[in-house]
């Protein structure tokens, strides 16, 4: 391996550790990566929560190749191309019926910024321009741009970056090890954590609040499953106070929880939904915001020659991304992948929860094909045990994701039972020798 590693400043990476002992992926197919040593590595993370249909699926590859040769780029402002419209129509058919409009971005982070701006502009267009406050949740992850880290609740992603957005507050997170450790599926306790929104509303007054944003299942912070009834209660409180509810489904979208979207799995429909990742199976960067008709329609006033929403990206609705997304939806449909997590959930949960009792395991959490295994931190050295588990699994030919001292599993939705066994087996082996 002769390529110098010096120039590339890697994102969310321990750069010095990596460059001393690099982990390079060179090919992929189905459930596996191949590394630069020719080793086969089982993908327990769907890349980074995004390759839901598995790697290098032929329909997606062909769609991208053909599109690149046919229409390389089309400006998205005041112009269009057919696949952008076709994709939006296809997406709306998968969504809860209330969500009928699609706005394209290039990432989850951009989808979040877009949704936050939409919420504020929506209230202003309705004549409630004083509703500018945004409410997030502790431990939330909403990407890394300024709006997203402001409403986000991960302190390491916030502390270095100054004061961020003003007018933001947070409700408490839903993690409750004392009552809910080792819950199978949705924890029984904690619907009342939603009432913390009433505290924040009482403090600021509802008339100042534009929107509340939460992940239906918090992913990056270490897989926090919503307590039974929690999301319903958030919805009720938002409705009572005229506050928009935004679900950030960047991870949970496209089949991860057993339905196309977590909104369907949990039976709660937001006003705005952000997605990315699985939208294109991770193959070309793309995100989107889905909006209720009623939110969209508020913007559609004023003279018809004027732009209604002063927002968009050079690469919104990029032809390659639209083609990749259409190929992805075809693949999901043909293989029944948007509901496959519901079929596999029982077996996955059984195997995952068999890790209870292994050294340092203090909680196991699951929904659909998402799993969390929380480990006791090494005293005074947070995240060290988690990282050691990651490296150990990598050496065994299994890619997992760890965040702090929690292992987060999100395998491609095509995973077979024996591959679930291999994944859990590698973690068990790692835990026993750490
Ligand atoms: N919202 C949510 C809920 C996410 O999970 C984003 C927004 C931002 O998406 P982009 O495409 O801008 O990265 C995400 C992204 C991890 C991990 O290790 C998760 C994400 C990104 C990086 C690492 O859990 N999720
Ligand atoms: N910076 C400059 C100087 C630009 O001209 C643009 C877009 O025209 C941007 C940033 C934003 O880039 P994008 O639309 O890819 O987000």
């Amino acid at each position: 391996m002769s390529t110098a590693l010096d120039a590339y400043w890697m994102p969310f990476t321990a750069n010095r550790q990596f460059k001393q002992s690099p982990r390079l992926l060179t090919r992929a197919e189905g459930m596996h990566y191949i590394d630069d040593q020719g080793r086969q590595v089982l993908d327990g993370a769907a890349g980074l929560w995004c390759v839901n249909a598995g790697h290098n699926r032929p329909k997606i590859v062909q769609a991208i190749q053909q599109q690149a040769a046919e229409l390389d780029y089309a400006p998205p402002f005041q112009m269009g191309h057919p696949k952008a419209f076709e994709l939006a129509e296809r997406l709306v058919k998968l969504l809860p019926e209330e969500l009928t409009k699609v706005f394209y971005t290039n990432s989850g982070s951009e989808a979040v910024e877009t949704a936050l701006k939409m919420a504020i502009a929506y209230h202003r267009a309705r004549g409630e321009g004083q509703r500018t406050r945004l409410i997030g949740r502790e431990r939330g992850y909403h990407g890394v741009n300024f709006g997203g880290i402001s409403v986000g609740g991960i302190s390491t992603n916030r502390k270095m970056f100054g004061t961020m957005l003003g007018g933001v507050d947070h409700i408490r997170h839903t993690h409750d090890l004392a009552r809910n450790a080792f819950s199978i599926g949705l924890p029984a306790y904690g619907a009342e954590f939603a009432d913390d929104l009433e505290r924040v509303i009482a403090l600021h007054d509802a008339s100042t609040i534009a929107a509340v944003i939460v992940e239906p299942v918090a992913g990056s912070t270490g897989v926090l499953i919503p307590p039974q009834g929690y999301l319903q209660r958030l919805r009720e409180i938002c409705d009572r106070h005229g506050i928009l509810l935004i679900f950030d489904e960047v991870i949970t979208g496209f089949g991860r929880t057993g339905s196309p979207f977590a909104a369907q799995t949990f039976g709660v429909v937001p006003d705005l939904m952000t997605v990315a990742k699985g939208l294109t199976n991770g193959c070309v960067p793309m995100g989107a915001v889905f909006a209720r008709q009623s939110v969209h329609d508020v913007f559609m006033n004023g003279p018809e020659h004027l732009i209604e929403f002063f927002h968009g990206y050079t690469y919104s609705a990029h032809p390659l991304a639209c083609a990749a997304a259409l190929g992805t939806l075809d693949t999901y449909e043909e293989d029944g992948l948007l509901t496959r997590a519901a079929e596999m959930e029982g077996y996955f949960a059984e195997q995952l929860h068999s890790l209870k009792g292994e050294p340092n395991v203090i909680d196991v959490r699951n929904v659909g094909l998402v799993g969390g295994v929380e480990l006791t931190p090494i005293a005074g050295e947070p995240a060290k045990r988690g990282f050691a588990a990651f490296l150990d699994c990598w050496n065994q030919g299994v890619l997992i994701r760890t965040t702090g001292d929690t292992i987060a599993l999100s395998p491609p939705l095509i995973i077979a039972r024996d591959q679930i066994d291999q994944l859990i087996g590698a973690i068990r082996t790692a835990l026993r020798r750490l």
Side-chain angles (χ1 to χ4, degrees):
M1 228 289 303
S2 58
T3 312
L5 303 180
D6 210 39
Y8 176 23
W9 185 353
M10 299 171 71
F12 276 123
T13 295
N15 275 256
R16 291 158 299 169
Q17 191 279 343
F18 185 96
K19 288 168 189 183
Q20 275 165 27
S21 97
R23 298 172 290 280
L24 293 176
L25 304 171
T26 54
R27 299 186 65 80
E29 193 178 345
M31 281 297 303
H32 294 95
Y33 280 111
I34 310 290
D35 76 1
D36 64 334
Q37 311 297 310
R39 287 189 326 143
Q40 219 191 26
V41 179
L42 180 73
D43 184 0
L48 202 52
W49 312 86
C50 50
V51 186
N52 289 2
H55 295 276
N56 284 31
R57 299 301 305 267
K59 277 228 157 160
I60 308 172
V61 174
Q62 282 161 20
I64 298 167
Q65 287 173 337
Q66 281 170 12
Q67 188 61 44
E70 186 179 301
L71 175 69
D72 52 355
Y73 176 78
F77 307 162
Q78 308 287 17
M79 298 298 292
H81 65 91
K83 288 198 177 73
F85 296 92
E86 184 189 343
L87 176 59
E89 296 293 328
R90 292 266 307 264
L91 288 167
V92 162
K93 289 200 179 83
L94 293 175
L95 286 163
E97 62 181 0
E98 293 87 342
L99 299 171
T100 57
K101 296 289 173 184
V102 178
F103 193 100
Y104 295 114
T105 70
N106 307 293
S107 66
S109 295
E110 286 181 359
V112 166
E113 304 301 304
T114 300
L116 299 176
K117 287 174 72 177
M118 241 179 220
I120 290 170
Y122 159 82
H123 288 294
R124 181 170 155 127
R126 291 166 57 244
E128 282 201 78
Q130 79 285 2
R131 282 192 186 256
T132 56
R133 202 175 284 283
L134 300 166
I135 309 297
R137 186 171 62 188
E138 292 168 356
R139 300 193 62 167
Y141 186 83
H142 301 294
V144 292
N145 293 343
F146 270 111
I149 61 171
S150 303
V151 294
I154 296 187
S155 59
T156 45
N157 292 356
R158 293 163 53 87
K159 69 180 181 190
M160 299 297 282
F161 307 108
T163 53
M164 303 176 281
L165 272 193
V168 171
D169 208 343
H170 296 77
I171 58 175
R172 62 150 297 164
H173 64 72
T174 62
H175 199 29
D176 186 352
L177 268 184
R179 290 191 297 171
N180 287 328
F182 300 104
S183 295
I184 297 172
L186 271 54
Y189 303 103
E192 76 281 2
F193 292 143
D195 297 339
D196 200 40
L197 180 54
E198 294 281 16
R199 172 186 64 83
V200 171
I201 291 170
L203 176 65
H204 299 294
D205 198 77
S207 68
T208 70
I209 301 174
V212 172
I213 181 167
V214 294
E215 305 157 85
V217 175
S220 299
T221 189
V223 183
L224 303 181
I225 315 291
Q228 291 169 25
Y230 171 85
L231 294 170
Q232 280 80 359
R233 208 183 288 194
L234 268 192
R235 177 73 270 185
E236 286 160 20
I237 297 169
C238 286
D239 283 344
R240 212 178 313 128
H241 295 283
I243 296 167
L244 294 183
L245 179 60
I246 306 170
F247 277 179
D248 187 344
E249 293 222 30
V250 168
I251 281 177
T252 54
F254 300 97
R256 182 56 53 197
T257 66
S259 315
F261 300 95
Q264 293 148 333
T265 302
F266 302 129
V268 177
V269 182
D271 301 296
L272 296 169
M273 182 192 292
T274 53
V275 297
K277 297 192 186 268
L279 172 54
T280 56
N281 203 40
C283 299
V284 178
M286 185 179 224
V289 178
F290 303 136
R292 282 193 191 235
Q293 186 75 33
S294 54
V295 171
H296 164 270
D297 286 354
V298 164
F299 289 82
M300 299 301 134
N301 56 22
E304 288 197 3
H305 70 283
L306 289 185
I307 292 165
E308 297 104 355
F309 183 38
F310 281 85
H311 181 76
Y313 302 98
T314 304
Y315 305 122
S316 288
H318 194 284
L320 289 192
C322 291
L326 287 167
T328 297
L329 295 187
D330 287 344
T331 304
Y332 288 157
E333 227 163 75
E334 282 162 20
D335 293 4
L337 293 182
L338 296 182
T339 50
R340 190 162 187 276
E343 292 158 27
M344 297 303 284
E345 178 166 354
Y347 187 75
F348 180 67
E350 202 178 289
Q351 297 310 306
L352 186 73
H353 281 272
S354 76
L355 294 171
K356 182 178 179 180
E358 297 295 345
N360 297 304
V361 172
I362 54 174
D363 192 18
V364 177
R365 308 185 272 274
N366 74 287
V367 68
L369 277 173
V370 186
V373 180
E374 187 166 343
L375 309 176
T376 346
I378 296 169
E381 296 184 291
K384 196 166 179 186
R385 196 188 307 279
F387 193 57
F390 164 75
L391 290 178
D392 191 291
C393 286
W394 168 256
N395 290 331
Q396 296 181 62
V398 171
L399 180 67
I400 61 170
R401 176 90 193 140
T402 55
T403 170
D405 288 299
T406 298
I407 295 167
L409 299 180
S410 65
L413 305 174
I414 59 171
I415 193 168
R417 285 188 175 213
D418 62 326
Q419 291 164 333
I420 293 177
D421 299 345
Q422 186 192 349
L423 180 59
I424 304 300
I427 294 170
R428 193 186 312 282
T429 300
L431 293 176
R432 287 184 182 177
R433 65 188 176 200
L434 284 185

